[in-house]
Amino acid sequence: MSTTFGAGFHAAPGKTVDASAYERWTGRWSRLFIPAVLAAAGVGPKCRVLDVSTGTGEAARMALSLVGTEGVVVGADISREMLTSARARLHGSPFLPVAADGQALPFSDTSFDAVVCQLGLQFFPDPARSVGEFRRVLRKGGSVAICVI
């Protein structure tokens, strides 16, 4: 089985990706699933949301409209290029981009009301470890929603 994906589809630590490739090939159809993922995670007013594998920030953008001015959305991605793209798209919003590996999140336990991962988990070397991290940073009573292909 190959573990190599085309440019813009997978990022290993320290490797560059093409954020525009993601938008051209994956972003335009993947955003169709985001409303269901955000609903499954219970994202709403005042929520603290972690968007793991934020990529170009599409799920974060949609989450921002749900959390309102009293909520916060943190976008974590291992790719600095993706974070740069997300930061540019969401400039002026309360979006907080963080360079982070989804298998070793740099957040305290119980930091978030909701954790979402839109089309990222299938690329992680150890998905079970990542899900454990999602749970660790989730507050009691919060929800995780994951969409994979």
Side-chain angles (χ1 to χ4, degrees):
M1 180 174 147
S2 173
T3 58
T4 307
F5 302 93
F9 288 94
H10 181 256
K15 300 294 182 180
T16 61
V17 297
D18 181 358
S20 66
Y22 176 85
E23 277 302 308
R24 282 193 314 271
W25 303 109
T26 305
R28 61 189 171 144
W29 61 265
S30 70
R31 68 180 49 94
L32 300 174
F33 300 98
I34 296 170
V37 171
L38 296 175
V43 174
K46 301 181 184 181
C47 276
R48 294 181 50 82
V49 179
L50 174 61
D51 177 19
V52 180
S53 294
T54 197
T56 60
E58 189 63 28
R61 183 186 67 78
M62 291 186 191
L64 283 165
S65 67
L66 297 172
V67 303
T69 59
E70 295 183 54
V72 66
V73 177
V74 175
D77 205 294
I78 201 165
S79 166
R80 294 194 185 276
E81 289 85 2
M82 289 293 201
L83 288 172
T84 297
S85 177
R87 184 181 297 114
R89 289 182 76 214
L90 301 172
H91 179 71
S93 72
F95 172 73
L96 303 169
V98 175
D101 183 338
Q103 298 179 133
L105 295 169
F107 307 108
S108 300
D109 295 358
T110 68
S111 296
F112 297 95
D113 301 308
V115 177
V116 297
C117 186
Q118 166 71 10
L119 300 179
L121 188 65
Q122 68 268 19
F123 298 118
F124 290 16
D126 188 350
R129 180 176 166 195
S130 301
V131 171
E133 280 292 280
F134 300 173
R135 177 65 188 101
R136 180 186 64 76
V137 301
L138 191 66
R139 70 160 175 78
K140 184 177 179 178
S143 295
V144 173
I146 300 167
C147 180
V148 296
I149 53 173

